[in-house]
Amino acid sequence: MAVRRRAASRHSPRQPDAAFLNVPYDSKYEELFFAFLAGLSGFALIPHATLEIPGSRRRLDRIVQLLRRCRYSFHDLSRVELDPTPPATPRFNMPFELGLVVALAKTQPGRHEWLVFETRPHRIWKSLSDLAGTDEYVHGGTPLGLLRALTNALVRRRRQPTIAELEEVYRDVSSYASEIKRHLRTTSVFEARAFRELVAAAQRSATRRVAALRNVRRP
């Protein structure tokens, strides 16, 4: 009985509309970050990221706990490159977190769907050949390209926003990001408070801009 209760507790926190974002946290990625927040919100998904889980527990434990809560995860592997800051080193966080998700999906079939994004077609087969046969969603490094890629990746979602609607949400999020920086007196949106406010702004904008979401209740 105790084993059964523990197993149930591992599964119960999952949120069917929660979406984990595994992307680079740097200023050059800001526009694509805004596009992800806008696009996911336009599909009635709730973005989550490691940015929102500060605390004293080991970071890896917090990431795994967050992944277990999410029904989807979106992994952009376009920036697995050498960081020019000495010493020059490759960025392994994104493929590492993707590996955690793949393992989670294998141990809990049907509970998690993961999707991989790239800037250039077929490059992923060279950088991570173990993913051969996996669909890749190529965005070309532009916000519009990312929004289009999301419409292909999420074609089975019940509520389908138009590209024009997603572009409007994206513009709202980009505009609000400048206000957040001024309000919080920061130069980065890749912080816990800024992320929370950006997600809230994206959700509000999507409810207003996307016709298919106007009668959807947000949690």
Side-chain angles (χ1 to χ4, degrees), residues 2-64:
V3 172
R4 191 174 304 160
R5 281 198 296 268
R6 284 197 297 270
S9 66
R10 285 198 301 269
H11 295 298
S12 58
R14 194 190 71 153
Q15 302 166 5
D17 293 324
F20 179 82
L21 267 180
N22 176 18
V23 300
Y25 297 154
D26 63 54
S27 59
K28 293 181 180 179
Y29 196 82
E30 268 194 5
E31 291 186 355
L32 293 179
F33 185 61
F34 300 154
F36 256 125
L37 297 182
L40 295 180
S41 298
F43 278 93
L45 293 174
I46 304 169
H48 291 278
T50 56
L51 293 168
E52 66 184 302
I53 51 173
S56 59
R57 290 181 55 202
R58 187 183 178 195
R59 177 181 172 84
L60 182 57
D61 293 337
R62 288 180 280 139
I63 292 173
V64 171

Side-chain angles (χ1 to χ4, degrees), residues 147-210:
L147 295 176
R148 285 175 176 160
L150 283 172
T151 63
N152 289 319
L154 296 171
V155 71
R156 291 180 295 173
R157 289 285 293 178
R158 178 183 172 190
R159 295 178 175 86
Q160 292 287 312
T162 67
I163 288 291
E165 289 171 337
L166 294 181
E167 286 184 289
E168 290 180 344
V169 180
Y170 165 74
R171 285 192 288 268
D172 287 345
V173 174
S174 297
S175 176
Y176 191 62
S178 299
E179 295 182 27
I180 288 176
K181 288 179 181 179
R182 287 194 299 271
H183 174 65
L184 298 180
R185 298 184 181 181
T186 182
T187 59
S188 174
V189 295
F190 299 104
E191 299 174 357
R193 173 75 179 273
F195 177 76
R196 183 178 67 183
E197 294 199 14
L198 276 174
V199 169
Q203 301 276 292
R204 290 193 301 269
S205 175
T207 301
R208 185 172 67 255
R209 303 286 192 183
V210 179

Side-chain angles (χ1 to χ4, degrees), residues 23-30 32 76-84 89-95 117-119 123 139:
V23 300
Y25 297 154
D26 63 54
S27 59
K28 293 181 180 179
Y29 196 82
E30 268 194 5
L32 293 179
D76 192 338
L77 300 188
S78 62
R79 299 285 297 281
V80 182
E81 68 222 2
L82 286 179
D83 183 344
T89 49
R91 303 174 69 168
F92 286 151
N93 279 359
M94 279 78 76
F117 293 74
E118 244 285 11
T119 300
R123 182 170 62 173
H139 55 65

